Amino acid sequence: MQASVHGFDEQTGFGSVLLDDGVERWFDSEVFFRSGLRHLRVGQRVSVELGGETVTRLWIVGIGEGQPIR
């Protein structure tokens, strides 16, 4: 599913995204560090997987192993 970065703390790796329906969901530093990304900016579009009410996976299509741009 797609979302937009709502907030991100570079120092801790914690942040949140807004789903397309406007619901805010949080991710922790482990999720960010597993993404392989170096930085996120507010408003940036990302793909996410949810586990309950939290983000369990975060990525940008086309960045990282197995993520071809289509």
Side-chain angles (χ1 to χ4, degrees), residues 3-69:
S4 298
V5 175
H6 181 64
F8 177 67
D9 185 322
E10 273 186 64
Q11 293 182 345
T12 65
F14 283 83
S16 68
V17 297
L18 286 179
L19 304 179
D20 288 344
D21 63 3
V23 174
E24 184 176 20
R25 293 292 183 238
W26 293 89
F27 59 89
D28 62 24
S29 59
E30 183 180 329
V31 170
F32 173 70
F33 292 126
R34 277 196 327 254
S35 75
L37 300 172
R38 294 183 191 175
H39 179 73
L40 292 171
R41 62 175 170 71
V42 172
Q44 184 173 13
R45 295 292 286 173
V46 293
S47 294
V48 298
E49 287 180 4
L50 299 176
E53 295 190 3
T54 61
V55 175
T56 58
R57 182 173 176 228
L58 167 77
W59 72 98
I60 297 174
V61 174
I63 297 180
E65 187 175 330
Q67 289 296 314
I69 297 175

